[in-house]
Amino acid sequence: MKGVFSAAVGDYDNDGRPDLCVLTAEAPVALHNTPKGYERTQFPLPQGRFEAALWVDYDHDYDQDLILFGEKTVLLRNQLPAGFADRTSDIPFVTGRAVSALVTRLIPDTKSHDIVVSYADRPAMVYRDRLGGFFDAAEIRTVPAGARQLQTADLDNDSAFDLVWDGGAALNRNGRFEPIAWSARGPAALADVENRGVLDVVAGGRQHRNAGRGRFDEPREAPGLSADAVALAAADFDGDGRVDLAAADPGGRLWRLRNETKTAHRWARVHIVGVKNLKLAFNSEVEIKSGPFYQKLLYRGVPLTFGLRDFDTIDTVRITWPNGLIQNEVKQKAGATLKFQEAQRLSGSCPMIWTWNGQGFEFITDVLGVAPLGASAGDGKYFPVDHDEYVWIDGERLQPRGGRLHVRITEELAEVTYLDQVELIAVDHPANVEIFTNDKWKSPPYPEFRLFGATRRVYPKRALLDGRHDVTERILRRDRRYIDSFARDFRGVAQKYAVELDFGAAAPDNRAVLVLNGWVDWADGSTFLQQAQSTPEGLVPPLLQARDDRGQWVTILDDMGMPAGKPKTIAVDLTGKFPGKSRRLRIVTNLALYWDEIFLIENSAAPDARLATALPLNADL
């Protein structure tokens, strides 16, 4: 390649090896990092000169998209394996010649990927990530026209990411940037030269020592560093716990400058690996806390070196992954590389229901999984919201305390519940009749409220997973022994599988109700979006098929519904649905659905039952 003047590092296929977008005078070139070295990619990129390139997961689907900046701006959305699609209109880019760009986070500890762009002919702009692929545009007058070599870092150790450019800097004050005194000129590297836990500035052959609170001492000479470097980068290249520099001179030669500063201060290196998030963990926030000492750095796909002053123990390493999951690693030793893999934890959850059972509060299940406000269901689509949910509570699990029935609804993780009405419905019914509700997670039309009654359960004579594996014993009783041997990944995506059920000669009048108990390990909204972009059908809610008299499987319900989250029992009305004499059914999906118990009841008529509604006497927040 000729005329190369810049390169952006990313990992567009998430294989854990850094790929490149190389900018040349004629066109950008994407290079794929393979075990044999870098190879040109096969997908096309627009021709012409671009001044900057940025890999960023702008639509939050766990893969990196590519933005090219110059006289025009081009946003290419990653839709592998299909390639990249032009989605420039998704972000309201202003007109102007863009010269530099970066990804930051205006508000700390959020999921946003805010994009700051500087222009040759106008002040910089910030494109604020409102999630879901939506962005707002706002001007940053603090960053003047012509600002280049944008960088983001926490200069004053207040947890907010500030801005630096060639010739200036500004502190982030609740999303607004305030300029500070800045004497450094030309390309700059931000480096904790002495392991003091603060970022110094190295520029123009001099070091500007960080004095705290956004102030810097008068510059002093940095021996070994040329004043005419055209580019600088900081990292611990030799692994000795001190941050070194790399410099490019006007002739295009690269120099590695080893940090030989004499210091007794301690250090720690943090290496993180994503699992659900990208393997190289781009744009994760990493924080260190030891006593009163605190520092935050932004992860860029390579290990971070933290200066620890005189502390030999780290109280907490706190990682905020790009999807918002927070992971704390406590009591870590200094002077070592600390490697952490993303923990398999929930980043969000539906509200939980607890009831007083006579001895203590007992967990029942979660609720309002049918009403996920703003949850992505695919490309530009959102889950429909069913505002009502009926949750069954067995009588022995709700006992009076002081003459009252106590129910608690809690939020355990990072979600907000908006409750409009809560009521308790008592169901009186004959002792020999079991009652089941029609409630479940299902796309519109939503299930109507009704009850089913059973005096006898008909269990399958045989149950097969994918027509081969006998799983009958897993569904004959509710014992938390689930059908769980289907192939799935950590995101909640399964290889499409089928559970076949043979009910023999049950329900001869064709008025059956299928009753199932189980739970779903939800994929998150980002995964639904990623699957919608990369596969023809995306994630498929369970569809129900039946065997006809010719021995063919016929789809009788495109969406039979499923438990809305944690273990619940659902009922599926099959009145008139069997296409022939066979009573064989098949449930097909690629969601991680775990069935515990499945049976038929043979009468879909409304049971003999009396309902009585009680409203809350009081509610406390």
Side-chain angles (χ1 to χ4, degrees), residues 148-161:
R148 293 177 178 271
Q149 298 182 338
L150 289 173
Q151 299 184 64
T152 185
D154 182 8
L155 296 177
D156 54 352
N157 292 43
D158 68 347
S159 89
F161 289 113

Side-chain angles (χ1 to χ4, degrees), residues 35 67 88 105 133 145 187 265 277 301 311 334 347 367 383 410 454 472 542 544 559:
I67 309 179
T88 306
R105 194 160 288 128
H265 292 152
N277 288 279
F311 294 97
S347 57
V367 67
F383 278 114
T410 64
T472 311
L544 188 63
D559 179 5

Side-chain angles (χ1 to χ4, degrees), residues 601-616:
I601 58 178
E602 298 179 290
N603 185 358
S604 59
D608 181 16
R610 183 177 61 193
L611 306 183
T613 300
L615 297 176

